[in-house]
Amino acid sequence: MQTESPPLAAATATQVARIVVAGHVDHGKSTLIGRLMYDLGLLHQSKIDDVVAASSRRGVAPEWSYVLDSLQEERDQAVTIDTTRIWFTHRQRRYTIIDAPGHRQFLANMLSGASEADAAILVVDAAAGIGEQTLRHAYLLAFLGIRHVIVALNKIDLLDDARVRYGELSAQLRDALRRTPPVAVIPVSASRGDNVAARAATTPWYDGPTIVDALEAVRRVAPPVQRPLRIAVQDVYRRDGARIVAGTVAGGTVASGDPLVLLPADVPVVAHRLVRWPDGDVAGAAAGETIGVVLDGERFAGRGDVLAPPLDRPQVAQRLVLEMFWVDVRGPLQNERLRLKRGTQDVPVVVDGTPSAYDIEEARTLGAAGDAQHNIVTLQVRATSPVVFDRRADDPHGARCVLLRGSRVAAIGFTIDAADASGDGGGPVTLVERERRSGRRAAIVWLTGLSGAGKSTLARAAERELFERGIAVSVVDGDLLRSTLNTDLAFSDEDRAESVRRAAAVAGILAETGHVVIVSLISPFVSDRARARDAARHPFYEVYVNAPLATCEARDPKGLYRRAREGAIRSFTGIDSPYEPPASPDLELRTDTLSVPEAAAELVAFVDGVTAPSR
Ligand SMILES: Nc1ncnc2c1ncn2[C@@H]1O[C@H](COP(=O)(O)OS(=O)(=O)O)[C@@H](OP(=O)(O)O)[C@H]1O
Ligand SMILES: Nc1ncnc2c1ncn2[C@@H]1O[C@H](COP(=O)(O)OP(=O)(O)O)[C@@H](O)[C@H]1O
């Protein structure tokens, strides 16, 4: 894919501007581009002679649209051209002119990222006036988030009352283009060159910019490195005790030591170190790179999360307005379940309300989205968990998203904004809202240890104390799960892995309601506990409830050790099934030396500390 590197690049060019030229062929698009090449002195004299000769043979004034066709065949010009792009340099600035062919192909190119335009020239035939084509192009430019639109009101030389007509048309155009108000409406004659590069004597009443002036005023849309920092989290690894958050820098730059915010959880973090494979530690990274971020402390992060600067953060919402180019055969239905992919996020969504479609051929909005294929659909969706996104108006690049129906791409487009949730009861309550109300961070506190070590006793004692302090807390106890959810499981290694997985899932559901969840489960294997931690979408802390086997066996609160020694129970942890203690737990409680109140107080103090709102 060719985006930024034209085959002809002037070494001295310092700036780039990418301009998309839209408009019906008959409205003079090719003529304007050809004339622009001529006026900027980019054509060889031989080429100019060819155009003049060919035109005079047909008895017409020089036809500048010929230039484009004939340049296609030649490679030694100051202009380089392929089917949809033209590159040239003017006054130290490198221009890419992107021809907008059929609107579907144009949309597909722009949406796939093959092109990103800084500005658009919309060519409108002044004699023909504003037709469907113009409305369609105006809509598409707004859809693509192109904000710098220059209107070339062409064929002004054919009008008797050019001044009056210009006044009328520019008012109508400003109305038609209200979503992206034009920066200039320029009366031009592409064939005569009026107001293309030189101010025309024929339009003394016009004191605005020429096409070339307007092009020079185009500001480049910020390249990815100059956009706000966005790191899309792909995965989280544990290595040598550290948690490494691996992600793609989707925009901006990051340096080690930068304060960041982890979204959607809204947790302040510090990019303690940055690592790149296989180089190891690096000082910084920029857009386009894949990087490992070692966060300070024991932080939870998962695929789909986003790291951003605290003062320039993206939006977070569960209800969103999307504008999508619909590619699937069938349009979206109210209440239909789809999936929204954005960066590394992939979340189930439900279509809210009635989507509406803009019919591109007809250049008008339809009430419903039944005939949505190859049209633009505006819809509102409700996600099952918070979505981190940029608004198209803030950054069209960061706002790109895809809707999937099953595994098929149904639509490609943009996140527009958070939907107003006030209309119908406010939508699902989010974790952020719950945490704001409870004044506590949800967390999973995972107690592991031998049977009889004291997990249940301490979990219940801590639960009581935290509850008394007004903290939303609940306990997920292995014993209870074994008699309810897990009645199909025994104590083989596989069944224990499954029991740990289920307990983690239940804890996750409870934590999502804003609770501090204390899990008490033997969970004897390091690998199962690591999986639980990695699957967790909330801060996760491992607590080792440690008492020597002899102590546990002496306690034998349920007589299970005795039965295990007698051979009545098989695969009993500590007897004929292993227990792997955590190598570096977040907290260790020695219940053989501490009393129940002492151990419980330590656990409460720990939970209190890690769920405090300031963290
Ligand atoms: N073979 C064997 N091994 C270990 N434990 C056994 C066994 N058979 C029954 N029990 C009782 O089941 C409780 C442990 O269940 P867990 O779900 O916590 O175990 S695991 O995490 O799936 O390994 C455990 O509860 P606690 O004593 O509260 O830990 C025992 O009461
Ligand atoms: N410091 C302590 N912490 C927790 N339990 C203790 C402690 N000291 C003695 N115990 C006793 O040990 C037993 C632990 O049983 P339990 O909490 O059911 O363990 P687990 O849930 O780990 O199987 C209880 O009878 C409890 O009174």
Side-chain angles (χ1 to χ4, degrees):
M1 203 181 341
Q2 206 162 30
T3 50
E4 297 281 339
S5 18
L8 176 100
T12 51
T14 53
Q15 272 194 308
V16 183
R18 296 153 301 187
I19 319 286
V20 60
V21 185
H24 196 282
V25 191
D26 294 342
H27 285 205
K29 202 168 56 152
S30 311
T31 309
L32 179 65
I33 299 171
R35 180 71 202 207
L36 189 67
M37 308 286 107
Y38 171 65
D39 283 353
L40 294 179
L42 299 166
L43 304 179
H44 283 175
Q45 188 57 44
S46 60
K47 179 68 42 194
I48 299 168
D49 295 344
D50 286 352
V51 171
V52 173
S55 306
S56 68
R57 271 199 301 279
R58 293 180 54 211
V60 294
E63 267 288 6
W64 298 109
S65 58
Y66 292 174
V67 169
L68 298 190
D69 295 339
S70 61
L71 283 177
Q72 296 273 6
E73 293 134 33
E74 297 179 28
R75 293 283 157 220
D76 66 334
Q77 302 282 329
V79 180
T80 314
I81 188 163
D82 74 7
T83 46
T84 56
R85 264 164 292 204
I86 301 163
W87 294 272
F88 64 87
T89 299
H90 173 64
R91 290 210 188 140
Q92 301 291 301
R93 195 177 213 198
R94 202 165 71 201
Y95 287 89
T96 305
I97 301 286
I98 306 157
D99 193 3
H103 52 263
R104 271 179 210 152
Q105 191 191 337
F106 168 59
L107 273 177
N109 282 351
M110 300 299 274
L111 287 170
S112 68
S115 312
E116 241 187 309
D118 302 304
I121 300 178
L122 182 58
V123 184
V124 179
D125 184 331
I130 299 171
E132 272 172 21
Q133 286 276 2
T134 307
L135 294 175
R136 178 180 306 146
H137 283 123
Y139 194 93
L140 298 186
L141 295 176
F143 171 67
L144 292 167
I146 299 172
R147 272 167 287 168
H148 195 110
V149 178
I150 302 159
V151 176
L153 203 51
N154 192 26
K155 307 191 190 179
I156 203 83
D157 54 310
L158 301 182
L159 302 177
D160 298 333
D161 51 351
R163 180 181 192 165
V164 177
R165 188 81 177 118
Y166 171 82
E168 285 168 8
L169 280 174
S170 49
Q172 286 173 25
L173 276 162
R174 284 183 198 282
D175 183 48
L177 284 139
R178 60 191 173 277
R179 296 218 304 169
T180 43
V183 291
V185 179
I186 309 175
V188 301
S189 164
S191 52
R192 284 200 323 215
D194 292 1
N195 295 324
V196 174
R199 188 158 290 287
T202 49
T203 55
W205 40 267
Y206 174 73
D207 60 0
T210 62
I211 295 288
V212 171
D213 296 336
L215 286 179
E216 286 179 354
V218 168
R219 283 201 192 183
R220 195 184 172 188
V221 170
V225 282
Q226 282 170 22
R227 294 178 188 146
L229 173 69
R230 305 284 183 258
I231 300 176
V233 176
Q234 283 170 341
D235 226 326
V236 181
Y237 304 97
R238 291 175 72 78
R239 192 165 296 174
D240 307 329
R243 294 195 98 195
I244 304 177
V245 174
T248 332
V249 187
T253 56
V254 61
S256 67
D258 277 357
L260 301 173
V261 61
L262 181 66
L263 296 165
D266 199 3
V267 181
V269 293
V270 172
H272 191 53
R273 281 167 49 215
L274 298 175
V275 288
R276 189 161 41 213
W277 292 276
D279 319 353
D281 277 49
V282 291
E289 294 182 48
T290 300
I291 192 82
V293 185
V294 182
L295 299 180
D296 64 320
E298 193 57 61
R299 302 298 192 181
F300 157 77
R303 184 177 172 85
D305 286 355
V306 173
L307 287 165
L311 297 178
D312 204 349
R313 47 174 74 198
Q315 310 291 314
V316 177
Q318 265 182 260
R319 293 159 61 98
L320 296 96
V321 179
L322 310 177
E323 256 184 51
M324 309 296 291
F325 178 58
W326 209 266
V327 291
D328 206 1
V329 186
R330 185 167 57 72
L333 302 172
Q334 183 170 7
N335 291 329
E336 185 180 357
R337 286 169 192 281
L338 300 166
R339 263 170 43 229
L340 174 68
K341 278 185 85 159
R342 221 217 55 78
T344 51
Q345 276 185 302
D346 184 339
V347 287
V349 294
V350 176
V351 177
D352 256 352
T354 315
S356 70
Y358 175 85
D359 186 323
I360 295 180
E361 298 297 344
E362 298 286 320
R364 68 186 175 93
T365 301
L366 307 171
D371 292 327
Q373 193 179 28
H374 300 142
N375 288 317
I376 292 168
V377 175
T378 305
L379 73 164
Q380 194 169 305
V381 294
R382 194 164 15 104
T384 53
S385 54
V387 180
V388 184
F389 67 99
D390 281 295
R391 284 191 289 236
R392 181 181 57 194
D394 298 334
D395 177 9
H397 188 87
R400 281 191 194 159
C401 64
V402 169
L403 278 175
L404 299 178
R405 181 178 267 146
S407 56
R408 270 198 325 276
V409 171
I412 316 165
F414 302 94
T415 45
I416 306 306
D417 209 340
D420 176 13
S422 60
D424 59 356
V429 180
T430 65
L431 177 61
V432 173
E433 287 175 276
R434 291 178 198 276
E435 289 186 331
R436 229 174 257 148
R437 173 163 300 179
S438 70
R440 286 281 164 174
R441 292 213 165 275
I444 298 172
V445 181
W446 190 281
L447 273 47
T448 171
L450 290 170
S451 173
K455 302 178 299 293
S456 306
T457 305
L458 296 178
R460 293 298 176 192
E463 179 190 35
R464 166 57 61 190
E465 177 59 25
L466 293 165
F467 176 78
E468 297 302 338
R469 296 185 188 189
I471 295 172
V473 57
S474 42
V475 172
V476 173
D477 190 89
D479 259 354
L480 181 64
L481 290 187
R482 287 264 169 201
S483 64
T484 52
L485 181 64
N486 292 344
T487 48
D488 58 326
L489 300 180
F491 289 89
S492 63
D493 292 0
E494 298 75 40
D495 280 5
R496 288 180 198 259
E498 177 60 10
S499 133
V500 170
R501 190 191 68 78
R502 290 183 194 173
V506 172
I509 294 168
L510 285 169
E512 192 59 28
T513 67
H515 277 218
V516 174
V517 186
I518 305 176
V519 178
S520 70
L521 209 73
I522 296 179
S523 43
F525 299 112
V526 169
S527 57
D528 294 341
R529 295 194 300 266
R531 260 195 296 278
R533 181 192 282 270
D534 288 338
R537 310 232 6 114
H538 307 85
F540 183 105
Y541 304 96
E542 191 174 45
V543 178
Y544 180 22
V545 181
N546 184 5
L549 177 64
T551 307
C552 297
E553 199 168 350
R555 289 176 181 162
D556 208 4
K558 299 176 201 155
L560 293 173
Y561 282 98
R562 184 179 47 79
R563 294 181 56 207
R565 290 290 184 197
E566 290 168 3
I569 304 177
R570 297 262 171 229
S571 305
F572 196 80
T573 306
I575 307 298
D576 55 352
S577 180
Y579 178 79
E580 298 170 356
S584 53
D586 298 292
L587 178 69
E588 180 172 350
L589 297 169
R590 286 294 302 246
T591 63
D592 55 332
T593 53
L594 295 170
S595 68
V596 172
E598 284 169 346
E602 268 200 47
L603 181 56
V604 167
F606 174 80
V607 173
D608 192 33
V610 297
T611 62
S614 59
R615 280 177 67 95

